[in-house]
C-alpha cells in the first residue's frame, strides 16, 4: 500500500472549539481550587486565632493582653527566622550539589563566544609565549615576480596552425607530445 496522505479527522474549527472548551474548564477548576484554598485559610485562621474580646476590659487587663500578644508574635518571628535560615541553607546546598553533578558529568554552560580579530602573529605569541619570535608574515615569504620577466620567457611563435594540427594528428603526433613532455623533466 503506498503511503497516502491522510486528512485530519478533526477540522480546524472543531479543534479551536475543543481548545476553548478545555481552557474554560481549566479556568473553572482553577477558580474552584482558589476558593477552596481561601476557605481552608480562613478556617485555619479562625481555629488558631480566636477573636479578641476587648469590650469591658480594664486598662491593666488590656496591657496584659498586649504583653501576651507581643510574646506570641516574638515566638512566631523566631520560628519564621529559623525556617527562613533553614530554607536558605537548603537552597545553597541544592545549588552546590547541582554544581557537583555538573562537574561529574563534565558539561558546563558555555558562554556565548564573541568574534575577536587577532593577527596571526598575535595568535602565535599567545600560543607560544612572548619568548618565541615567530613571524607569520606570509607575504614576505612570497617571491616577487615581475611582469616583464614572464613576457620575455615566453617567446611567441606565429606560424601556420594547420601544419601543427597535421603534425600532431595520429599516433605519431601523440608520441611527439609524450616525448616533448618527458624531455624537459629528464634534463
Amino acid at each position: 500500500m503506498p503511503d497516502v496522505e491522510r486528512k485530519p479527522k478533526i477540522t480546524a474549527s472543531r479543534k479551536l472549539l475543543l481548545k476553548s472548551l478545555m481552557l474554560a474548564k481549566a479556568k473553572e477548576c482553577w477558580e474552584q481550587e482558589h476558593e477552596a484554598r481561601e476557605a481552608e485559610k480562613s478556617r485555619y485562621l479562625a481555629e488558631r486565632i480566636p477573636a479578641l474580646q476587648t469590650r469591658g476590659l480594664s486598662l491593666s487587663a488590656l496591657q496584659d493582653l498586649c504583653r501576651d500578644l507581643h510574646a506570641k508574635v516574638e515566638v512566631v518571628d523566631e520560628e519564621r527566622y529559623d525556617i527562613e535560615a533553614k530554607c536558605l541553607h537548603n537552597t545553597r546546598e541544592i545549588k552546590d550539589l547541582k554544581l557537583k553533578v555538573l562537574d561529574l558529568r563534565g558539561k558546563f554552560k558555555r558562554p556565548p563566544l564573541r568574534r575577536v580579530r587577532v593577527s596571526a602573529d598575535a595568535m602565535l605569541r599567545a600560543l607560544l609565549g612572548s619568548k618565541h619570535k615567530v613571524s607569520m608574515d606570509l607575504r614576505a615569504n612570497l617571491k616577487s615576480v615581475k611582469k616583464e620577466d614572464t613576457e620575455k620567457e615566453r617567446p611567441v611563435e606565429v606560424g601556420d596552425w594547420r601544419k601543427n594540427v597535421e603534425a600532431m594528428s595520429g599516433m605519431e603526433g601523440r608520441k611527439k607530445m609524450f616525448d616533448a613532455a618527458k624531455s624537459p623533466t629528464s634534463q
Side-chain angles (χ1 to χ4, degrees):
M1 251 184 171
D3 291 332
V4 179
E5 194 174 315
R6 296 180 182 176
K7 291 184 179 179
K9 294 181 182 178
I10 301 173
T11 63
S13 59
R14 178 79 174 147
K15 275 185 186 179
L16 188 62
L17 176 69
L18 290 173
K19 191 175 182 180
S20 63
L21 288 174
M22 287 172 58
L23 286 173
K25 182 68 175 172
K27 184 178 179 184
E28 183 181 318
C29 289
W30 180 80
E31 287 173 352
Q32 287 176 353
E33 286 177 15
H34 186 68
E35 289 173 5
R37 240 185 270 133
E38 289 294 323
E40 178 68 23
K41 183 179 176 182
S42 62
R43 185 192 61 78
Y44 178 78
L45 288 175
E47 181 181 302
R48 295 281 290 190
I49 304 170
L52 288 178
Q53 297 295 331
T54 56
R55 287 191 178 159
L57 294 177
S58 66
L59 183 63
S60 61
L62 285 173
Q63 287 175 344
D64 290 339
L65 181 64
C66 285
R67 285 188 196 106
D68 290 341
L69 289 176
H70 278 288
K72 288 180 181 179
V73 167
E74 284 179 15
V75 169
V76 170
D77 274 344
E78 287 176 6
E79 288 177 5
R80 182 183 56 83
Y81 178 78
D82 291 342
I83 290 172
E84 282 180 358
K86 284 181 185 178
C87 184
L88 187 64
H89 177 73
N90 287 341
T91 54
R92 284 182 188 156
E93 191 173 341
I94 288 171
K95 189 177 179 181
D96 291 341
L97 290 174
K98 282 183 180 179
L99 287 174
K100 283 183 183 178
V101 167
L102 285 176
D103 286 343
L104 290 175
R105 280 191 199 165
K107 293 182 180 178
F108 298 97
K109 265 193 174 177
R110 292 183 177 93
L113 301 177
R114 291 178 277 144
R115 289 188 183 266
V116 179
R117 287 191 174 201
V118 180
S119 67
D121 290 333
M123 198 177 299
L124 281 173
R125 244 183 275 124
L127 290 173
L128 301 175
S130 60
K131 293 179 182 177
H132 300 285
K133 293 189 177 180
V134 179
S135 178
M136 275 294 289
D137 189 11
L138 298 175
R139 292 182 183 155
N141 296 338
L142 295 175
K143 292 182 180 177
S144 60
V145 179
K146 297 179 182 174
K147 277 190 172 181
E148 298 168 3
D149 294 341
T150 57
E151 289 175 4
K152 289 179 184 174
E153 288 177 11
R154 272 193 288 156
V156 179
E157 293 181 19
V158 178
D160 191 11
W161 61 272
R162 284 172 274 170
K163 289 181 185 175
N164 194 17
V165 170
E166 288 173 4
M168 293 296 170
S169 65
M171 285 302 288
E172 289 180 19
R174 295 179 196 272
K175 185 179 177 191
K176 287 179 191 174
M177 286 173 50
F178 179 74
D179 291 339
K182 191 177 180 183
S183 63
T185 57
S186 62
Q187 290 177 356

